[in-house]
Amino acid sequence: MASSASRHLLPLLLLLLLVVAVGGVFGGGGGGGGERTFIVRVDADAKPSAFPTHAHWYEAAVMTAAASGGGGEWREGGPLIHTYSAAFHGFSARMSPAAGSALAAAPGVAAVVPERVRHLATTRSPQFLGLLSSPPSALLADSDFGADLVIAIIDTGISPTHRSFHDRGLGPVPPKWRGVCSSGPGFPPNSCNRKLVGARFFSAGYEATSGRMNETAEVRSPLDTDGHGTHTASVAAGRYVFPASTLGYARGVAAGMAPKARLAAYKVCWVGGCFDSDILAAFDAAVADGVDVVSLSVGGVVVPYYLDAIAIGAFGATEAGIVVSASAGNGGPGGLTVTNVAPWMATVGAGSMDRAFPANVRLGNGQVLDGVSVYGGPALQSGKMYELVYAGASSGAASSAADGYSASMCLDGSLDPAAVRGKIVVCDRGVNSRAAKGDVVHRAGGVGMVLANGLFDGEGLVADCHVLPATAVGAAAGERLRKYIGSSTRQAPATGTILFEGTHLGVHPAPVVAAFSARGPNPQSPEILKPDLIAPGLNILAAWPSGVGPAGIPSDGRRTEFNILSGTSMACPHVSGLAALLKAAHPTWSPAAIKSALMTTAYIKDNSNGTMVDESTGVVADVFDFGAGHVDPMRAMDPGLVYDITPADYVNFLCNLNYTEQNIRAITRRPADCRGARRAGHAGNLNYPSLSATFVADGTRATMKTHFIRTVTNVGGRRAAYRATVRAPEGCTVTVQPRQLAFRRDGQKLSFTVRVEAAAPAKKMEPGSSQVRSGAVTWSDGRHTVNTPVVVTVQAPLQ
């Protein structure tokens, strides 16, 4: 007699046999008809006994769905792109939307998720974070510098011969490690060592959508031909390297956060982007290989968690005890731009350090405009003032084939060589890359470039390794510069030069929130404050491949062992490395406990003793900019209390988001009974290290109320009594009950309730507008300080 699962799938099998009998409609390649890649989650125990393996079952399912849905694509080697079994049970395949819809209705299929394409979102940062000291900091010493922990870098691959990845002085590869060292062009089988313990690449999803890769431009191996993956890997766990610098800037000792942690590289990003099916395959492999931390500096659009392949893969990793750290995205300074917002991931924004690379513009009228750059080639002639030209002006330097807008952006082919030769060209920021603009100016004969921010960019500046003398200036300076050029005449042209001042340390204020760092509120679940925290991500020096120029453009023939990059991509691996240190020092802590330790010990004051400011505006930043604050690894080592979360707690959270059982099963791989969860309260009652309340001011209530229930675990090592202090958001009342928590032993858990009451706005708000107020609940026993942000958002209805 057939099993229950087999009986449910017999109609699918019979339909498959019918398809084969009538002529095998998948005998040819191609497919057309709007095929796309879908990621399919299945119930692992639902495989019919008629199929010897899950892969056979999956292939049958795809063929059947394609037949009933009116089309599909038969790939060479079969219809499957990837199969998954560790972080996720299921497969990815290319098919028509109709076939995907048919497959979603098949028994045993938990979810069908359309694939999305994602994009890639040091010498000073260890010292800035307090990790470089003599003797070594307590965190480094107690964690043995992260030895025997494995950090997975899901990125563009890695440069295995770089000095940052040498294995001198390291012990044997950890016995728990089950990974492989895949080989290929530029990556021989012996590329791995006791530092780089594993390397894989995943391109099937990319090639299923984009066609076979051009192997003259890309390599089918884990080798990094972009630079991003090598850079992020060394930020997380690079060895100590001296001397290190980029074109003479930022000289010193290069080191990652966890110098003795092992690395495993999973290459998923290619010229065409980073494809969900490949990212999920990397998560699946990382879990099976035995990693301890996953670092993911990749982002994209925010969708419900059950449609988000990164959230789904990260849940499987978290359930396996793996910490997942992800970049918040580079969509700042606008609100609602944060990505990778699932609560089981650490979402990391970017801040600055106390180091700068000033390159100021001196104008002929005596003004000096502040700028930044890491240009390291031949300088402009000392004492000479060069004519300035802005190609966006009516009398500018646009070529005959380009409009003023293209020329203002210095797009390829937009500049008239006769008009810019021998001059410094002002280019507006946007559209093409910053380094590419300099290349356009250089090829047109310009001697220098000033890259000027627009209003949206504000005052946020990024130092780049330009191919010609160039600097970046903020929006206010850019406007002054354009007006200066606009007021010039042929008889009295605008002139200027660029003064490169090298590396400055001890800069104030620091840190500031980087202008590009993506901001909250959380567009998917506002009950969870995102980003979680910020870490150094502005002008970070780290390892760089020998075959890639520092400007990251094909025309750059320079070579450097280290490069300076900016982005939340650089901030994320700082937290990944610190998570490895914490896990090594506290091996019993869960991923949620580690994230809690990093969040509740974060700080919001800069080195001028003021609240951190927003780089884009210069005004005080808020919780939607920096989350819980800037990471403080030394305090995170001994947080006193942690907010722990189990996989079952996340299921309750999803229930309280009103997800269906099928939605939840798509994420968690198992059925969910939401009856108890919904009785327990609301999504904000997830035991998260922050408190976020959202109220709708509809004019019917004078006050609006909610409550949060939290449970903290004593990890301070002894008996302790904690007292709560409250800094209530403006116009709100916050009460904590009880106000004291008396722990009798290490590991004990105690709960408390926070009640928040907000007064309705005194004046009617504009439809769709919102007011944000923040405060904090702080627990202290005299030795530890445990900070929990409180944010209250009052929204006006849309109409």
Side-chain angles (χ1 to χ4, degrees):
M1 187 173 179
S3 68
S4 174
S6 297
R7 283 200 307 273
H8 288 310
L9 281 148
L10 280 176
L12 185 150
L13 178 57
L14 290 173
L15 182 56
L16 169 63
L17 295 175
L18 176 63
V19 169
V20 174
V22 298
V25 296
F26 295 101
E35 286 85 3
R36 63 176 298 178
T37 298
F38 290 88
I39 297 166
V40 183
R41 168 157 249 161
V42 303
D43 295 327
D45 57 358
K47 181 183 75 66
S49 59
F51 295 106
T53 67
H54 279 84
H56 286 85
W57 173 35
Y58 300 159
E59 288 188 359
V62 172
M63 294 171 67
T64 303
S68 61
E73 180 170 330
W74 182 268
R75 300 174 65 252
E76 182 181 350
L80 305 183
I81 297 172
H82 292 294
T83 61
Y84 314 106
S85 61
F88 179 89
H89 282 297
F91 62 92
S92 52
R94 196 161 176 80
M95 64 190 85
S96 69
S101 180
L103 186 59
V109 174
V112 177
V113 178
E115 177 172 69
R116 289 172 175 80
V117 183
R118 315 285 179 146
H119 298 283
L120 295 165
T122 109
T123 50
R124 185 66 178 172
S125 57
Q127 184 173 348
F128 184 70
L129 294 172
L131 293 177
L132 282 187
S133 59
S134 182
S137 69
L139 179 55
L140 286 174
D142 289 358
S143 65
D144 191 18
F145 297 79
D148 294 341
L149 274 290
V150 181
I151 302 175
I153 307 294
I154 300 179
D155 212 293
T156 64
I158 197 164
S159 180
T161 59
H162 197 283
R163 286 194 295 160
S164 292
F165 310 128
H166 73 77
D167 65 355
R168 293 187 299 277
L170 291 180
V173 173
K176 67 176 183 178
W177 177 247
R178 301 180 294 273
V180 300
C181 190
S182 301
S183 61
F187 210 95
N190 63 351
S191 295
C192 295
N193 56 19
R194 288 170 297 166
K195 175 66 175 179
L196 177 62
V197 296
R200 298 177 184 261
F201 66 97
F202 302 90
S203 62
Y206 165 47
E207 294 183 276
T209 298
S210 305
R212 190 171 180 84
M213 76 171 64
N214 177 2
E215 295 189 50
T216 63
E218 302 184 85
V219 294
R220 196 182 299 277
S221 80
L223 183 69
D224 183 12
T225 57
D226 175 272
H228 192 273
T230 297
H231 198 276
T232 56
S234 69
V235 170
R239 303 298 303 276
Y240 291 106
V241 176
F242 177 83
S245 70
T246 298
L247 307 177
Y249 291 85
R251 294 183 184 274
V253 178
M257 298 296 98
K260 290 172 69 173
R262 317 307 171 103
L263 287 165
Y266 298 83
K267 181 177 179 179
V268 301
C269 295
W270 308 86
V271 169
C274 319
F275 288 71
D276 274 355
S277 56
D278 294 333
I279 294 172
L280 192 53
F283 266 111
D284 199 59
V287 172
D289 290 346
V291 307
D292 299 284
V293 177
V294 169
S295 186
L296 181 72
S297 291
V298 174
V301 297
V302 175
V303 295
Y305 302 129
Y306 57 86
L307 296 177
D308 185 343
I310 289 178
I312 292 169
F315 185 91
T318 302
E319 194 171 29
I322 298 167
V323 181
V324 179
S325 171
S327 55
N330 296 337
L336 288 166
T337 51
V338 63
T339 67
N340 294 325
V341 295
W344 44 87
M345 293 189 284
T347 307
V348 188
S352 70
M353 297 185 294
D354 61 342
R355 179 178 68 189
F357 308 107
N360 301 328
V361 181
R362 176 177 291 164
L363 303 180
N365 62 6
Q367 293 185 73
V368 176
L369 309 178
D370 292 340
V372 298
S373 178
V374 286
Y375 171 71
L380 296 170
Q381 185 175 328
S382 178
K384 179 177 179 179
M385 300 296 279
Y386 294 82
E387 186 174 346
L388 300 171
V389 60
Y390 174 50
S394 58
S395 59
S399 69
S400 58
D403 56 44
Y405 173 78
S406 298
S408 71
M409 294 288 178
C410 296
L411 303 184
D412 195 26
S414 66
L415 299 181
D416 179 4
V420 305
R421 188 173 293 114
K423 301 174 183 177
I424 295 176
V425 181
V426 177
C427 300
D428 290 340
R429 185 172 172 180
V431 184
N432 56 341
S433 76
R434 299 181 299 271
K437 295 176 188 292
D439 187 48
V440 170
V441 172
H442 186 249
R443 286 188 282 113
V447 298
M449 177 185 71
V450 178
L451 180 62
N453 282 0
L455 287 176
F456 177 81
D457 304 299
E459 301 307 311
L461 298 178
V462 174
D464 293 300
C465 295
H466 292 287
V467 295
L468 83 170
T471 189
V473 300
E479 187 61 22
R480 289 162 62 191
L481 182 56
R482 296 184 196 96
K483 286 182 177 179
Y484 172 57
I485 294 172
S487 65
S488 65
T489 64
R490 182 168 297 183
Q491 293 73 30
T495 61
T497 190
I498 303 172
L499 306 174
F500 299 95
E501 298 184 12
T503 304
H504 287 196
L505 300 177
V507 173
H508 287 71
V512 302
V513 180
F516 57 76
S517 187
R519 315 300 168 94
N522 184 335
Q524 190 52 228
S525 44
E527 303 88 349
I528 303 300
L529 177 63
K530 292 286 181 172
D532 290 310
L533 73 172
I534 65 171
L538 183 64
N539 301 328
I540 304 301
L541 181 138
W544 195 248
S546 60
V548 182
I553 54 178
S555 63
D556 186 6
R558 300 170 298 174
R559 295 296 179 258
T560 180
E561 192 179 15
F562 294 88
N563 200 4
I564 292 172
L565 298 182
S566 297
T568 57
S569 284
M570 286 66 248
C572 165
H574 279 89
V575 169
S576 306
L578 295 174
L581 294 180
L582 289 176
K583 191 166 186 177
H586 302 286
T588 63
W589 284 9
S590 69
I594 290 171
K595 183 168 78 168
S596 172
L598 291 166
M599 289 177 64
T600 61
T601 58
Y603 61 86
I604 64 172
K605 296 288 187 180
D606 59 29
N607 58 3
S608 296
N609 203 34
T611 301
M612 285 187 289
V613 301
D614 181 345
E615 184 196 25
S616 67
T617 61
V619 303
V620 172
D622 65 25
V623 289
F624 288 153
D625 302 325
F626 52 63
H630 191 284
V631 67
D632 186 343
M634 301 309 300
R635 290 187 60 221
M637 175 69 178
D638 182 20
L641 304 176
V642 295
Y643 295 85
D644 209 355
I645 305 175
T646 67
D649 295 328
Y650 291 124
V651 172
N652 290 339
F653 163 77
L654 296 171
C655 288
N656 283 315
L657 288 181
N658 293 318
Y659 279 16
T660 66
E661 182 179 332
Q662 185 172 5
N663 294 156
I664 296 170
R665 193 156 52 103
I667 301 166
T668 65
R669 297 188 291 186
R670 57 178 176 272
D673 183 355
C674 288
R675 289 172 295 182
R678 288 182 178 142
R679 281 199 303 269
H682 53 87
N685 273 336
L686 180 68
N687 199 41
Y688 213 70
S690 58
L691 306 169
S692 178
T694 300
F695 299 111
V696 176
D698 56 9
T700 63
R701 297 168 294 171
T703 59
M704 299 160 287
K705 303 177 182 180
T706 192
H707 74 282
F708 302 92
I709 301 170
R710 291 293 187 267
T711 300
V712 286
T713 305
N714 180 24
V715 295
R718 61 189 186 188
R719 295 167 60 101
Y722 282 83
R723 294 183 181 274
T725 58
V726 173
R727 179 170 57 85
E730 182 182 353
C732 301
T733 301
V734 177
T735 58
V736 179
Q737 185 65 34
R739 294 295 294 261
Q740 180 169 324
L741 298 175
F743 294 92
R744 297 187 301 275
R745 66 184 183 277
D746 191 51
Q748 184 181 1
K749 297 177 183 290
L750 292 175
S751 298
F752 61 95
T753 300
V754 178
R755 301 186 186 280
V756 177
E757 183 175 320
K763 297 181 180 179
K764 186 176 180 180
M765 299 170 61
E766 291 291 326
S769 64
S770 63
Q771 298 176 357
V772 179
R773 312 156 186 175
S774 62
V777 171
T778 302
W779 292 97
S780 178
D781 66 346
R783 190 164 65 101
H784 305 94
T785 302
V786 184
N787 291 311
T788 306
V790 179
V791 57
V792 174
T793 303
V794 179
Q795 294 180 336
L798 291 176
Q799 57 181 6

